[in-house]
């Protein structure tokens, strides 16, 4: 019987990385989908060939590094372009995760990428929008309007909460460590079924 796979997700500014760092402190290693995608784009010959075929010869520099500007311009030009790039990168990341031996993954676009189908349990990290805006502004030196724009680009937090099995509220008031411990206990001791209402 294979071990359960668990995903950590949540919108920008919610504090996913903070929760993952706390998990690491408890001996739980988490596969970072964003970092993995960047590594695979750099190192996979198959992905390099497909992206070059899609974007053009300037997708990569001569030293083999990704031409981020060229790829970003292609991606932002249309939804079809974005979908085409995702159709190359997402399957490669999914295969890498499945072969990695990790039980946990961190993925900001869990449902948009279809990676929710790779896991048995989803934990969403949430925070009130005003707190998220403040975190984004401080972290990335952005204006309030730009921070709000980034939030609006992602799946609404309430929708992610509706789909998830567990929620960690990271609002600066509630005890995040205690919430993590409770979830770890539930995952370890209870059998997760398709009926997520058992755990709400």
């Amino acid at each position: 019987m294979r071990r359960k796979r668990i995903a950590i997700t949540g919108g920008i500014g919610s504090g996913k990385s903070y929760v993952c760092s706390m998990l690491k402190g408890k001996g739980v290693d988490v596969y970072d989908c964003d970092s993995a995608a960047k590594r695979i784009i750099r190192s996979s010959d198959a992905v390099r060939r497909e992206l070059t075929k899609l974007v053009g010869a300037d997708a990569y520099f001569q030293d083999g590094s990704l031409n981020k500007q060229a790829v970003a311009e292609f991606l932002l030009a249309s939804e079809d372009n974005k979908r085409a790039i995702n159709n190359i990168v997402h399957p490669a990341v999914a295969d890498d995760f499945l072969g990695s031996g990790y039980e946990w993954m961190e993925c900001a676009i869990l449902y948009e990428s279809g990676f929710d189908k790779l896991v048995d349990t989803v934990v969403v990290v949430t925070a009130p929008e005003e707190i998220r805006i403040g975190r984004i502004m401080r972290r990335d030196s952005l204006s309030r309007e730009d921070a709000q724009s980034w939030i609006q680009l992602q799946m609404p937090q309430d929708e992610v909460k509706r789909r998830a099995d567990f929620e960690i509220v990271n609002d600066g008031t509630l005890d995040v460590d205690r919430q993590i411990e409770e979830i770890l206990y539930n995952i370890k001791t209870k059998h997760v079924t398709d009926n997520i209402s058992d755990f709400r």
Side-chain angles (χ1 to χ4, degrees):
M1 181 179 174
R2 73 166 176 83
R3 293 177 294 182
K4 296 167 187 167
R5 298 193 187 103
I6 305 102
I8 298 278
T9 192
I12 184 171
S14 63
K16 293 183 304 302
S17 297
Y18 172 67
V19 169
C20 288
S21 69
M22 293 186 73
L23 283 167
K24 189 170 182 62
K26 298 175 184 295
V28 178
D29 289 323
V30 182
Y31 179 96
D32 184 338
C33 287
D34 187 48
S35 295
K38 292 173 182 174
R39 169 176 52 80
I40 289 167
I41 286 170
R42 287 195 310 268
S43 62
S44 168
D45 289 338
V47 169
R48 185 193 305 269
R49 283 194 302 271
E50 291 299 314
L51 282 178
T52 301
K53 188 187 306 180
L54 179 67
V55 177
D58 60 346
Y60 288 83
F61 292 114
Q62 286 190 340
D63 65 0
S65 61
L66 185 72
N67 184 341
K68 294 179 182 178
Q69 182 176 346
V71 173
E73 286 176 359
F74 178 88
L75 185 147
L76 294 172
S78 73
E79 279 300 314
D80 285 342
N81 285 5
K82 179 180 178 181
R83 193 175 302 111
I85 287 180
N86 288 343
N87 286 343
I88 294 170
V89 177
H90 288 171
V93 174
D95 287 344
D96 190 68
F97 169 70
L98 293 175
S100 69
Y102 282 81
E103 294 180 25
W104 291 70
M105 72 153 66
E106 175 187 357
C107 185
I109 53 169
L110 185 74
Y111 295 105
E112 297 94 324
S113 64
F115 283 11
D116 58 302
K117 298 178 179 64
L118 304 178
V119 299
D120 307 289
T121 306
V122 175
V123 179
V124 60
V125 182
T126 67
E129 184 167 309
E130 280 302 311
I131 291 177
R132 293 172 64 195
I133 289 170
R135 288 172 180 165
I136 298 164
M137 290 171 66
R138 288 190 297 273
R139 184 189 69 190
D140 299 332
S141 300
L142 294 177
S143 67
R144 180 182 181 83
E145 292 73 22
D146 286 342
Q148 287 175 312
S149 295
W150 277 110
I151 288 174
Q152 288 164 5
L153 282 173
Q154 298 183 325
M155 182 180 288
Q157 182 169 263
D158 285 345
E159 176 63 16
V160 181
K161 279 172 58 175
R162 186 185 68 79
R163 299 190 189 192
D165 301 288
F166 298 102
E167 177 184 10
I168 294 173
V169 179
N170 180 27
D171 61 0
T173 303
L174 294 176
D175 188 335
V176 172
D177 186 71
R178 181 178 177 181
Q179 294 177 75
I180 291 173
E181 287 292 343
E182 289 176 356
I183 289 170
L184 289 174
Y185 175 80
N186 275 306
I187 289 172
K188 183 177 180 181
T189 60
K190 295 186 178 182
H191 177 67
V192 177
T193 69
D194 290 334
N195 184 3
I196 65 172
S197 62
D198 294 346
F199 302 100
R200 286 187 169 171

